[in-house]
Amino acid sequence: MNVAVVVNPSAASGRFRHRLPQVLSTLERRLRIEVLTTRSSADAVAACGRALDGGAQALVAIGGDGTFHTALRALDGRNVPFALIPAGTCNDMADALGLPADPVAAAAAAAESLADGNVQQVDLAEVVYPDGRTLRFGTVLAIGYAASVADRGGRLKWPAGPRRYDVAALLELPRFRGRVYDVTLDGVAAQLPAVLFSVGNTGRCGGKLHVCPDADIADGYLDVTTQGPNSLPATLGSTMRLFSGVRSATDTSTRRFRVRAIHVASAGHVTFADGEPLPPPPFTVHCAAGALTVPKVG
């Protein structure tokens, strides 16, 4: 199988760069690879597009959730298998796909599955704007507090790794007391007051935040979670529980919905998906069931 491999050397501030030769050699044991080393998202999209147009039968991305988000743009609806090797600050998508956390082990598992044709279909989420623009994401779309945590965490230089999002969560918390979101859930209009507002194709974002713990990447649905508004101490307690995934029987401020589509009418809110900035609402998010072909591992 001819496979294009896009590499983001700056992922996770270059912490995995020393493992790249071993990852590539592991892939080469089962696949014929063309390595595309890129320095920007636009460069990566263009390079992947050329490789796929030139006959590459699959795409492998080495990086984190941001690299995955870029790879989705490169795929642009092409029905070819895609594998993600976790080597980023946050690897929520790779975790949702059941890949080993170690990049070399993940490369071995992905290469074996791709070479043997052992693949499966999983869902993506598609964001549609009023002007007809569409964007896809794989993990969680966050508005408001969670989006600001993603934004600030991505800009922090310390601490290294996912812990920067722990710090960002505490730094951003005092700024948020809740907003009312005008939404339509599978055709039913609602107003949802919340500090945290998330639409999940998978359960986790930011490396640790279990914002949509019931989300299933292959069930044809999106999970919507709202939290708050609450007093600052109560909001802090709810936020800390997100890091552990532990639920509280007395937390009545968290609401969860399972939908095929949600329209967000409330305009102008900071929005992130897969840890990357998106244009703000209004927009509609719907589940693109079975839209991505990935290695079946485990």
Side-chain angles (χ1 to χ4, degrees), residues 142-147 176 178-185 189-198 225-229 255 262-271 281 283:
I143 307 174
Y145 172 59
F176 287 87
R179 298 164 181 165
V180 176
Y181 294 89
D182 293 313
V183 303
T184 304
L185 303 163
Q191 288 189 319
L192 302 178
V195 173
L196 179 146
F197 188 104
S198 300
T225 297
T226 66
Q227 184 187 92
R255 301 174 70 187
I262 174 173
H263 176 71
V264 182
S266 305
H269 297 301
V270 175
T271 303
F283 50 57

PDB file of all heavy atoms in Angstrom, residues 142-147 176 178-185 189-198 225-229 255 262-271 281 283:
ATOM      1  N   ALA A 142     -16.060  23.382  21.352  1.00  0.00           N
ATOM      2  CA  ALA A 142     -16.287  24.084  22.618  1.00  0.00           C
ATOM      3  C   ALA A 142     -16.586  25.546  22.354  1.00  0.00           C
ATOM      4  O   ALA A 142     -15.954  26.190  21.507  1.00  0.00           O
ATOM      5  CB  ALA A 142     -15.064  23.955  23.517  1.00  0.00           C
ATOM      6  N   ILE A 143     -17.552  26.065  23.100  1.00  0.00           N
ATOM      7  CA  ILE A 143     -17.926  27.480  23.018  1.00  0.00           C
ATOM      8  C   ILE A 143     -17.824  28.061  24.428  1.00  0.00           C
ATOM      9  O   ILE A 143     -18.104  27.387  25.412  1.00  0.00           O
ATOM     10  CB  ILE A 143     -19.358  27.656  22.476  1.00  0.00           C
ATOM     11  CG1 ILE A 143     -19.530  26.921  21.146  1.00  0.00           C
ATOM     12  CG2 ILE A 143     -19.705  29.118  22.283  1.00  0.00           C
ATOM     13  CD1 ILE A 143     -20.958  26.930  20.619  1.00  0.00           C
ATOM     14  N   GLY A 144     -17.428  29.315  24.527  1.00  0.00           N
ATOM     15  CA  GLY A 144     -17.399  29.967  25.824  1.00  0.00           C
ATOM     16  C   GLY A 144     -16.200  29.535  26.645  1.00  0.00           C
ATOM     17  O   GLY A 144     -15.055  29.602  26.189  1.00  0.00           O
ATOM     18  N   TYR A 145     -16.463  29.086  27.880  1.00  0.00           N
ATOM     19  CA  TYR A 145     -15.388  28.792  28.828  1.00  0.00           C
ATOM     20  C   TYR A 145     -14.401  27.758  28.296  1.00  0.00           C
ATOM     21  O   TYR A 145     -13.187  27.972  28.291  1.00  0.00           O
ATOM     22  CB  TYR A 145     -15.997  28.320  30.147  1.00  0.00           C
ATOM     23  CG  TYR A 145     -14.990  27.798  31.153  1.00  0.00           C
ATOM     24  CD1 TYR A 145     -13.959  28.608  31.619  1.00  0.00           C
ATOM     25  CD2 TYR A 145     -15.073  26.494  31.615  1.00  0.00           C
ATOM     26  CE1 TYR A 145     -13.041  28.127  32.534  1.00  0.00           C
ATOM     27  CE2 TYR A 145     -14.161  26.002  32.540  1.00  0.00           C
ATOM     28  CZ  TYR A 145     -13.146  26.830  32.996  1.00  0.00           C
ATOM     29  OH  TYR A 145     -12.232  26.343  33.888  1.00  0.00           O
ATOM     30  N   ALA A 146     -14.902  26.621  27.827  1.00  0.00           N
ATOM     31  CA  ALA A 146     -14.001  25.565  27.365  1.00  0.00           C
ATOM     32  C   ALA A 146     -13.181  26.034  26.168  1.00  0.00           C
ATOM     33  O   ALA A 146     -12.009  25.662  26.024  1.00  0.00           O
ATOM     34  CB  ALA A 146     -14.798  24.313  27.007  1.00  0.00           C
ATOM     35  N   ALA A 147     -13.785  26.851  25.306  1.00  0.00           N
ATOM     36  CA  ALA A 147     -13.045  27.382  24.160  1.00  0.00           C
ATOM     37  C   ALA A 147     -11.949  28.334  24.613  1.00  0.00           C
ATOM     38  O   ALA A 147     -10.837  28.332  24.069  1.00  0.00           O
ATOM     39  CB  ALA A 147     -13.996  28.089  23.204  1.00  0.00           C
ATOM     40  N   PHE A 176     -15.853  33.828  33.838  1.00  0.00           N
ATOM     41  CA  PHE A 176     -17.101  33.282  33.303  1.00  0.00           C
ATOM     42  C   PHE A 176     -18.147  33.081  34.397  1.00  0.00           C
ATOM     43  O   PHE A 176     -17.881  32.465  35.415  1.00  0.00           O
ATOM     44  CB  PHE A 176     -16.828  31.959  32.581  1.00  0.00           C
ATOM     45  CG  PHE A 176     -16.143  32.144  31.258  1.00  0.00           C
ATOM     46  CD1 PHE A 176     -14.771  32.213  31.196  1.00  0.00           C
ATOM     47  CD2 PHE A 176     -16.874  32.288  30.092  1.00  0.00           C
ATOM     48  CE1 PHE A 176     -14.117  32.413  29.985  1.00  0.00           C
ATOM     49  CE2 PHE A 176     -16.243  32.488  28.886  1.00  0.00           C
ATOM     50  CZ  PHE A 176     -14.866  32.555  28.824  1.00  0.00           C
ATOM     51  N   GLY A 178     -21.560  32.554  33.088  1.00  0.00           N
ATOM     52  CA  GLY A 178     -22.656  31.916  32.377  1.00  0.00           C
ATOM     53  C   GLY A 178     -23.315  32.810  31.349  1.00  0.00           C
ATOM     54  O   GLY A 178     -23.382  34.035  31.512  1.00  0.00           O
ATOM     55  N   ARG A 179     -23.770  32.205  30.289  1.00  0.00           N
ATOM     56  CA  ARG A 179     -24.501  32.869  29.221  1.00  0.00           C
ATOM     57  C   ARG A 179     -25.675  31.988  28.839  1.00  0.00           C
ATOM     58  O   ARG A 179     -25.713  30.803  29.159  1.00  0.00           O
ATOM     59  CB  ARG A 179     -23.586  33.083  28.006  1.00  0.00           C
ATOM     60  CG  ARG A 179     -22.382  33.974  28.298  1.00  0.00           C
ATOM     61  CD  ARG A 179     -21.341  33.845  27.214  1.00  0.00           C
ATOM     62  NE  ARG A 179     -20.188  34.691  27.507  1.00  0.00           N
ATOM     63  CZ  ARG A 179     -19.019  34.593  26.911  1.00  0.00           C
ATOM     64  NH1 ARG A 179     -18.838  33.678  25.981  1.00  0.00           N
ATOM     65  NH2 ARG A 179     -18.032  35.407  27.228  1.00  0.00           N
ATOM     66  N   VAL A 180     -26.617  32.570  28.127  1.00  0.00           N
ATOM     67  CA  VAL A 180     -27.756  31.799  27.633  1.00  0.00           C
ATOM     68  C   VAL A 180     -27.559  31.566  26.140  1.00  0.00           C
ATOM     69  O   VAL A 180     -27.389  32.521  25.374  1.00  0.00           O
ATOM     70  CB  VAL A 180     -29.088  32.519  27.893  1.00  0.00           C
ATOM     71  CG1 VAL A 180     -30.236  31.725  27.283  1.00  0.00           C
ATOM     72  CG2 VAL A 180     -29.306  32.716  29.391  1.00  0.00           C
ATOM     73  N   TYR A 181     -27.559  30.304  25.752  1.00  0.00           N
ATOM     74  CA  TYR A 181     -27.360  29.937  24.350  1.00  0.00           C
ATOM     75  C   TYR A 181     -28.706  29.587  23.721  1.00  0.00           C
ATOM     76  O   TYR A 181     -29.441  28.724  24.230  1.00  0.00           O
ATOM     77  CB  TYR A 181     -26.412  28.746  24.253  1.00  0.00           C
ATOM     78  CG  TYR A 181     -25.003  29.067  24.709  1.00  0.00           C
ATOM     79  CD1 TYR A 181     -24.637  28.915  26.051  1.00  0.00           C
ATOM     80  CD2 TYR A 181     -24.051  29.533  23.816  1.00  0.00           C
ATOM     81  CE1 TYR A 181     -23.347  29.215  26.476  1.00  0.00           C
ATOM     82  CE2 TYR A 181     -22.764  29.839  24.232  1.00  0.00           C
ATOM     83  CZ  TYR A 181     -22.413  29.686  25.555  1.00  0.00           C
ATOM     84  OH  TYR A 181     -21.145  29.989  25.975  1.00  0.00           O
ATOM     85  N   ASP A 182     -29.001  30.226  22.607  1.00  0.00           N
ATOM     86  CA  ASP A 182     -30.204  29.910  21.836  1.00  0.00           C
ATOM     87  C   ASP A 182     -29.856  28.811  20.848  1.00  0.00           C
ATOM     88  O   ASP A 182     -29.022  28.997  19.950  1.00  0.00           O
ATOM     89  CB  ASP A 182     -30.703  31.141  21.088  1.00  0.00           C
ATOM     90  CG  ASP A 182     -31.205  32.224  22.028  1.00  0.00           C
ATOM     91  OD1 ASP A 182     -31.973  31.886  22.944  1.00  0.00           O
ATOM     92  OD2 ASP A 182     -30.814  33.401  21.850  1.00  0.00           O
ATOM     93  N   VAL A 183     -30.475  27.644  21.015  1.00  0.00           N
ATOM     94  CA  VAL A 183     -30.122  26.487  20.192  1.00  0.00           C
ATOM     95  C   VAL A 183     -31.386  25.796  19.687  1.00  0.00           C
ATOM     96  O   VAL A 183     -32.500  26.047  20.169  1.00  0.00           O
ATOM     97  CB  VAL A 183     -29.270  25.481  20.987  1.00  0.00           C
ATOM     98  CG1 VAL A 183     -28.014  26.139  21.537  1.00  0.00           C
ATOM     99  CG2 VAL A 183     -30.072  24.835  22.106  1.00  0.00           C
ATOM    100  N   THR A 184     -31.183  24.914  18.726  1.00  0.00           N
ATOM    101  CA  THR A 184     -32.233  24.006  18.270  1.00  0.00           C
ATOM    102  C   THR A 184     -31.647  22.608  18.263  1.00  0.00           C
ATOM    103  O   THR A 184     -30.654  22.336  17.570  1.00  0.00           O
ATOM    104  CB  THR A 184     -32.729  24.375  16.862  1.00  0.00           C
ATOM    105  OG1 THR A 184     -33.164  25.734  16.851  1.00  0.00           O
ATOM    106  CG2 THR A 184     -33.884  23.481  16.453  1.00  0.00           C
ATOM    107  N   LEU A 185     -32.225  21.725  19.061  1.00  0.00           N
ATOM    108  CA  LEU A 185     -31.737  20.359  19.227  1.00  0.00           C
ATOM    109  C   LEU A 185     -32.636  19.410  18.447  1.00  0.00           C
ATOM    110  O   LEU A 185     -33.793  19.187  18.834  1.00  0.00           O
ATOM    111  CB  LEU A 185     -31.727  19.970  20.706  1.00  0.00           C
ATOM    112  CG  LEU A 185     -30.909  20.862  21.650  1.00  0.00           C
ATOM    113  CD1 LEU A 185     -31.321  20.629  23.094  1.00  0.00           C
ATOM    114  CD2 LEU A 185     -29.427  20.605  21.476  1.00  0.00           C
ATOM    115  N   ALA A 189     -36.454  23.898  19.627  1.00  0.00           N
ATOM    116  CA  ALA A 189     -35.790  25.113  20.104  1.00  0.00           C
ATOM    117  C   ALA A 189     -35.643  25.073  21.619  1.00  0.00           C
ATOM    118  O   ALA A 189     -36.506  24.554  22.343  1.00  0.00           O
ATOM    119  CB  ALA A 189     -36.584  26.341  19.686  1.00  0.00           C
ATOM    120  N   ALA A 190     -34.530  25.627  22.104  1.00  0.00           N
ATOM    121  CA  ALA A 190     -34.281  25.657  23.550  1.00  0.00           C
ATOM    122  C   ALA A 190     -33.343  26.806  23.865  1.00  0.00           C
ATOM    123  O   ALA A 190     -32.587  27.286  23.012  1.00  0.00           O
ATOM    124  CB  ALA A 190     -33.670  24.338  24.015  1.00  0.00           C
ATOM    125  N   GLN A 191     -33.408  27.248  25.111  1.00  0.00           N
ATOM    126  CA  GLN A 191     -32.450  28.203  25.641  1.00  0.00           C
ATOM    127  C   GLN A 191     -31.690  27.506  26.766  1.00  0.00           C
ATOM    128  O   GLN A 191     -32.293  27.027  27.726  1.00  0.00           O
ATOM    129  CB  GLN A 191     -33.146  29.465  26.164  1.00  0.00           C
ATOM    130  CG  GLN A 191     -33.706  30.356  25.061  1.00  0.00           C
ATOM    131  CD  GLN A 191     -34.187  31.683  25.601  1.00  0.00           C
ATOM    132  OE1 GLN A 191     -34.812  31.751  26.663  1.00  0.00           O
ATOM    133  NE2 GLN A 191     -33.902  32.752  24.867  1.00  0.00           N
ATOM    134  N   LEU A 192     -30.369  27.444  26.624  1.00  0.00           N
ATOM    135  CA  LEU A 192     -29.551  26.701  27.570  1.00  0.00           C
ATOM    136  C   LEU A 192     -28.585  27.643  28.278  1.00  0.00           C
ATOM    137  O   LEU A 192     -27.601  28.099  27.691  1.00  0.00           O
ATOM    138  CB  LEU A 192     -28.753  25.614  26.828  1.00  0.00           C
ATOM    139  CG  LEU A 192     -29.568  24.580  26.041  1.00  0.00           C
ATOM    140  CD1 LEU A 192     -28.639  23.617  25.337  1.00  0.00           C
ATOM    141  CD2 LEU A 192     -30.527  23.834  26.956  1.00  0.00           C
ATOM    142  N   PRO A 193     -28.838  27.958  29.559  1.00  0.00           N
ATOM    143  CA  PRO A 193     -27.870  28.763  30.318  1.00  0.00           C
ATOM    144  C   PRO A 193     -26.671  27.898  30.681  1.00  0.00           C
ATOM    145  O   PRO A 193     -26.818  26.757  31.118  1.00  0.00           O
ATOM    146  CB  PRO A 193     -28.661  29.169  31.566  1.00  0.00           C
ATOM    147  CG  PRO A 193     -29.710  28.116  31.721  1.00  0.00           C
ATOM    148  CD  PRO A 193     -30.030  27.616  30.345  1.00  0.00           C
ATOM    149  N   ALA A 194     -25.469  28.433  30.477  1.00  0.00           N
ATOM    150  CA  ALA A 194     -24.290  27.604  30.725  1.00  0.00           C
ATOM    151  C   ALA A 194     -23.038  28.451  30.847  1.00  0.00           C
ATOM    152  O   ALA A 194     -22.932  29.525  30.264  1.00  0.00           O
ATOM    153  CB  ALA A 194     -24.105  26.594  29.590  1.00  0.00           C
ATOM    154  N   VAL A 195     -22.082  27.941  31.625  1.00  0.00           N
ATOM    155  CA  VAL A 195     -20.707  28.425  31.600  1.00  0.00           C
ATOM    156  C   VAL A 195     -19.931  27.630  30.556  1.00  0.00           C
ATOM    157  O   VAL A 195     -19.217  28.179  29.733  1.00  0.00           O
ATOM    158  CB  VAL A 195     -20.048  28.263  32.984  1.00  0.00           C
ATOM    159  CG1 VAL A 195     -18.560  28.600  32.918  1.00  0.00           C
ATOM    160  CG2 VAL A 195     -20.733  29.143  34.008  1.00  0.00           C
ATOM    161  N   LEU A 196     -20.087  26.312  30.604  1.00  0.00           N
ATOM    162  CA  LEU A 196     -19.430  25.426  29.659  1.00  0.00           C
ATOM    163  C   LEU A 196     -20.457  24.894  28.676  1.00  0.00           C
ATOM    164  O   LEU A 196     -21.529  24.438  29.065  1.00  0.00           O
ATOM    165  CB  LEU A 196     -18.761  24.268  30.395  1.00  0.00           C
ATOM    166  CG  LEU A 196     -18.034  23.222  29.562  1.00  0.00           C
ATOM    167  CD1 LEU A 196     -16.817  22.704  30.320  1.00  0.00           C
ATOM    168  CD2 LEU A 196     -18.951  22.037  29.217  1.00  0.00           C
ATOM    169  N   PHE A 197     -20.126  24.964  27.380  1.00  0.00           N
ATOM    170  CA  PHE A 197     -21.020  24.481  26.327  1.00  0.00           C
ATOM    171  C   PHE A 197     -20.174  23.707  25.327  1.00  0.00           C
ATOM    172  O   PHE A 197     -19.289  24.265  24.688  1.00  0.00           O
ATOM    173  CB  PHE A 197     -21.701  25.669  25.634  1.00  0.00           C
ATOM    174  CG  PHE A 197     -22.789  25.278  24.668  1.00  0.00           C
ATOM    175  CD1 PHE A 197     -24.110  25.427  25.007  1.00  0.00           C
ATOM    176  CD2 PHE A 197     -22.472  24.770  23.417  1.00  0.00           C
ATOM    177  CE1 PHE A 197     -25.122  25.071  24.117  1.00  0.00           C
ATOM    178  CE2 PHE A 197     -23.468  24.404  22.530  1.00  0.00           C
ATOM    179  CZ  PHE A 197     -24.792  24.552  22.880  1.00  0.00           C
ATOM    180  N   SER A 198     -20.438  22.408  25.201  1.00  0.00           N
ATOM    181  CA  SER A 198     -19.617  21.554  24.344  1.00  0.00           C
ATOM    182  C   SER A 198     -20.481  20.644  23.496  1.00  0.00           C
ATOM    183  O   SER A 198     -21.527  20.158  23.943  1.00  0.00           O
ATOM    184  CB  SER A 198     -18.663  20.695  25.182  1.00  0.00           C
ATOM    185  OG  SER A 198     -17.795  21.501  25.948  1.00  0.00           O
ATOM    186  N   THR A 225     -23.108  18.853  26.016  1.00  0.00           N
ATOM    187  CA  THR A 225     -23.012  19.029  27.459  1.00  0.00           C
ATOM    188  C   THR A 225     -23.024  20.509  27.794  1.00  0.00           C
ATOM    189  O   THR A 225     -22.276  21.293  27.204  1.00  0.00           O
ATOM    190  CB  THR A 225     -21.721  18.414  28.026  1.00  0.00           C
ATOM    191  OG1 THR A 225     -21.725  17.003  27.794  1.00  0.00           O
ATOM    192  CG2 THR A 225     -21.611  18.661  29.524  1.00  0.00           C
ATOM    193  N   THR A 226     -23.896  20.894  28.733  1.00  0.00           N
ATOM    194  CA  THR A 226     -23.861  22.250  29.281  1.00  0.00           C
ATOM    195  C   THR A 226     -23.667  22.153  30.787  1.00  0.00           C
ATOM    196  O   THR A 226     -24.151  21.218  31.430  1.00  0.00           O
ATOM    197  CB  THR A 226     -25.155  23.026  28.989  1.00  0.00           C
ATOM    198  OG1 THR A 226     -26.258  22.425  29.683  1.00  0.00           O
ATOM    199  CG2 THR A 226     -25.447  23.050  27.498  1.00  0.00           C
ATOM    200  N   GLN A 227     -22.958  23.122  31.316  1.00  0.00           N
ATOM    201  CA  GLN A 227     -22.669  23.122  32.751  1.00  0.00           C
ATOM    202  C   GLN A 227     -22.833  24.528  33.302  1.00  0.00           C
ATOM    203  O   GLN A 227     -22.297  25.483  32.758  1.00  0.00           O
ATOM    204  CB  GLN A 227     -21.238  22.645  32.995  1.00  0.00           C
ATOM    205  CG  GLN A 227     -20.867  22.511  34.458  1.00  0.00           C
ATOM    206  CD  GLN A 227     -19.393  22.201  34.608  1.00  0.00           C
ATOM    207  OE1 GLN A 227     -18.585  23.093  34.738  1.00  0.00           O
ATOM    208  NE2 GLN A 227     -19.048  20.924  34.568  1.00  0.00           N
ATOM    209  N   GLY A 228     -23.580  24.646  34.398  1.00  0.00           N
ATOM    210  CA  GLY A 228     -23.776  25.948  35.032  1.00  0.00           C
ATOM    211  C   GLY A 228     -24.983  26.655  34.444  1.00  0.00           C
ATOM    212  O   GLY A 228     -25.776  26.071  33.709  1.00  0.00           O
ATOM    213  N   PRO A 229     -25.140  27.960  34.731  1.00  0.00           N
ATOM    214  CA  PRO A 229     -24.228  28.752  35.575  1.00  0.00           C
ATOM    215  C   PRO A 229     -24.380  28.423  37.057  1.00  0.00           C
ATOM    216  O   PRO A 229     -25.422  27.948  37.490  1.00  0.00           O
ATOM    217  CB  PRO A 229     -24.648  30.183  35.288  1.00  0.00           C
ATOM    218  CG  PRO A 229     -26.087  30.078  34.939  1.00  0.00           C
ATOM    219  CD  PRO A 229     -26.263  28.769  34.233  1.00  0.00           C
ATOM    220  N   ARG A 255     -26.155  19.401  32.234  1.00  0.00           N
ATOM    221  CA  ARG A 255     -27.203  18.782  31.409  1.00  0.00           C
ATOM    222  C   ARG A 255     -26.556  18.167  30.184  1.00  0.00           C
ATOM    223  O   ARG A 255     -25.601  18.697  29.632  1.00  0.00           O
ATOM    224  CB  ARG A 255     -28.233  19.835  30.980  1.00  0.00           C
ATOM    225  CG  ARG A 255     -28.905  20.531  32.148  1.00  0.00           C
ATOM    226  CD  ARG A 255     -29.811  21.652  31.659  1.00  0.00           C
ATOM    227  NE  ARG A 255     -30.988  21.138  30.963  1.00  0.00           N
ATOM    228  CZ  ARG A 255     -31.871  21.920  30.330  1.00  0.00           C
ATOM    229  NH1 ARG A 255     -31.683  23.228  30.294  1.00  0.00           N
ATOM    230  NH2 ARG A 255     -32.926  21.395  29.726  1.00  0.00           N
ATOM    231  N   ILE A 262     -27.405  20.005  15.954  1.00  0.00           N
ATOM    232  CA  ILE A 262     -27.700  21.137  16.827  1.00  0.00           C
ATOM    233  C   ILE A 262     -27.397  22.424  16.078  1.00  0.00           C
ATOM    234  O   ILE A 262     -26.329  22.557  15.468  1.00  0.00           O
ATOM    235  CB  ILE A 262     -26.903  21.068  18.147  1.00  0.00           C
ATOM    236  CG1 ILE A 262     -27.122  22.345  18.973  1.00  0.00           C
ATOM    237  CG2 ILE A 262     -25.430  20.816  17.910  1.00  0.00           C
ATOM    238  CD1 ILE A 262     -26.523  22.296  20.365  1.00  0.00           C
ATOM    239  N   HIS A 263     -28.347  23.338  16.112  1.00  0.00           N
ATOM    240  CA  HIS A 263     -28.126  24.670  15.548  1.00  0.00           C
ATOM    241  C   HIS A 263     -27.874  25.633  16.702  1.00  0.00           C
ATOM    242  O   HIS A 263     -28.643  25.675  17.673  1.00  0.00           O
ATOM    243  CB  HIS A 263     -29.334  25.140  14.746  1.00  0.00           C
ATOM    244  CG  HIS A 263     -29.180  26.547  14.226  1.00  0.00           C
ATOM    245  ND1 HIS A 263     -28.312  26.869  13.215  1.00  0.00           N
ATOM    246  CD2 HIS A 263     -29.775  27.710  14.610  1.00  0.00           C
ATOM    247  CE1 HIS A 263     -28.373  28.169  12.987  1.00  0.00           C
ATOM    248  NE2 HIS A 263     -29.249  28.701  13.817  1.00  0.00           N
ATOM    249  N   VAL A 264     -26.783  26.378  16.628  1.00  0.00           N
ATOM    250  CA  VAL A 264     -26.438  27.374  17.641  1.00  0.00           C
ATOM    251  C   VAL A 264     -26.660  28.749  17.015  1.00  0.00           C
ATOM    252  O   VAL A 264     -25.933  29.145  16.095  1.00  0.00           O
ATOM    253  CB  VAL A 264     -24.986  27.227  18.123  1.00  0.00           C
ATOM    254  CG1 VAL A 264     -24.680  28.239  19.218  1.00  0.00           C
ATOM    255  CG2 VAL A 264     -24.736  25.803  18.629  1.00  0.00           C
ATOM    256  N   ALA A 265     -27.676  29.465  17.514  1.00  0.00           N
ATOM    257  CA  ALA A 265     -28.010  30.771  16.946  1.00  0.00           C
ATOM    258  C   ALA A 265     -27.238  31.902  17.611  1.00  0.00           C
ATOM    259  O   ALA A 265     -27.017  32.953  16.994  1.00  0.00           O
ATOM    260  CB  ALA A 265     -29.515  31.020  17.075  1.00  0.00           C
ATOM    261  N   SER A 266     -26.847  31.716  18.875  1.00  0.00           N
ATOM    262  CA  SER A 266     -26.158  32.768  19.622  1.00  0.00           C
ATOM    263  C   SER A 266     -24.858  33.134  18.912  1.00  0.00           C
ATOM    264  O   SER A 266     -23.983  32.295  18.709  1.00  0.00           O
ATOM    265  CB  SER A 266     -25.856  32.297  21.044  1.00  0.00           C
ATOM    266  OG  SER A 266     -27.047  31.869  21.681  1.00  0.00           O
ATOM    267  N   ALA A 267     -24.714  34.387  18.532  1.00  0.00           N
ATOM    268  CA  ALA A 267     -23.617  34.802  17.665  1.00  0.00           C
ATOM    269  C   ALA A 267     -22.412  35.291  18.456  1.00  0.00           C
ATOM    270  O   ALA A 267     -22.520  35.750  19.587  1.00  0.00           O
ATOM    271  CB  ALA A 267     -24.094  35.898  16.711  1.00  0.00           C
ATOM    272  N   GLY A 268     -21.239  35.184  17.831  1.00  0.00           N
ATOM    273  CA  GLY A 268     -20.048  35.885  18.283  1.00  0.00           C
ATOM    274  C   GLY A 268     -19.215  35.216  19.347  1.00  0.00           C
ATOM    275  O   GLY A 268     -18.217  35.785  19.779  1.00  0.00           O
ATOM    276  N   HIS A 269     -19.558  34.014  19.784  1.00  0.00           N
ATOM    277  CA  HIS A 269     -18.814  33.382  20.873  1.00  0.00           C
ATOM    278  C   HIS A 269     -17.528  32.730  20.356  1.00  0.00           C
ATOM    279  O   HIS A 269     -17.504  32.130  19.276  1.00  0.00           O
ATOM    280  CB  HIS A 269     -19.671  32.318  21.562  1.00  0.00           C
ATOM    281  CG  HIS A 269     -20.898  32.861  22.214  1.00  0.00           C
ATOM    282  ND1 HIS A 269     -20.837  33.814  23.204  1.00  0.00           N
ATOM    283  CD2 HIS A 269     -22.209  32.585  22.024  1.00  0.00           C
ATOM    284  CE1 HIS A 269     -22.077  34.108  23.599  1.00  0.00           C
ATOM    285  NE2 HIS A 269     -22.921  33.377  22.897  1.00  0.00           N
ATOM    286  N   VAL A 270     -16.473  32.817  21.156  1.00  0.00           N
ATOM    287  CA  VAL A 270     -15.223  32.135  20.833  1.00  0.00           C
ATOM    288  C   VAL A 270     -15.498  30.638  20.699  1.00  0.00           C
ATOM    289  O   VAL A 270     -16.157  30.034  21.546  1.00  0.00           O
ATOM    290  CB  VAL A 270     -14.163  32.385  21.923  1.00  0.00           C
ATOM    291  CG1 VAL A 270     -12.901  31.567  21.647  1.00  0.00           C
ATOM    292  CG2 VAL A 270     -13.825  33.864  22.007  1.00  0.00           C
ATOM    293  N   THR A 271     -14.983  30.046  19.621  1.00  0.00           N
ATOM    294  CA  THR A 271     -15.269  28.643  19.334  1.00  0.00           C
ATOM    295  C   THR A 271     -13.993  27.917  18.939  1.00  0.00           C
ATOM    296  O   THR A 271     -13.212  28.423  18.133  1.00  0.00           O
ATOM    297  CB  THR A 271     -16.296  28.529  18.182  1.00  0.00           C
ATOM    298  OG1 THR A 271     -17.482  29.254  18.532  1.00  0.00           O
ATOM    299  CG2 THR A 271     -16.651  27.079  17.920  1.00  0.00           C
ATOM    300  N   PRO A 281     -20.365  31.068  15.990  1.00  0.00           N
ATOM    301  CA  PRO A 281     -21.735  30.885  15.536  1.00  0.00           C
ATOM    302  C   PRO A 281     -22.325  32.223  15.059  1.00  0.00           C
ATOM    303  O   PRO A 281     -21.748  33.267  15.361  1.00  0.00           O
ATOM    304  CB  PRO A 281     -22.467  30.359  16.781  1.00  0.00           C
ATOM    305  CG  PRO A 281     -21.540  30.540  17.927  1.00  0.00           C
ATOM    306  CD  PRO A 281     -20.185  30.829  17.408  1.00  0.00           C
ATOM    307  N   PHE A 283     -24.153  28.672  13.569  1.00  0.00           N
ATOM    308  CA  PHE A 283     -23.838  27.543  12.706  1.00  0.00           C
ATOM    309  C   PHE A 283     -24.672  26.349  13.145  1.00  0.00           C
ATOM    310  O   PHE A 283     -25.304  26.356  14.215  1.00  0.00           O
ATOM    311  CB  PHE A 283     -22.346  27.196  12.726  1.00  0.00           C
ATOM    312  CG  PHE A 283     -21.730  27.045  14.103  1.00  0.00           C
ATOM    313  CD1 PHE A 283     -22.214  26.139  15.036  1.00  0.00           C
ATOM    314  CD2 PHE A 283     -20.621  27.809  14.455  1.00  0.00           C
ATOM    315  CE1 PHE A 283     -21.627  25.999  16.281  1.00  0.00           C
ATOM    316  CE2 PHE A 283     -20.017  27.674  15.689  1.00  0.00           C
ATOM    317  CZ  PHE A 283     -20.519  26.770  16.604  1.00  0.00           C
TER     318      PHE A 283
END
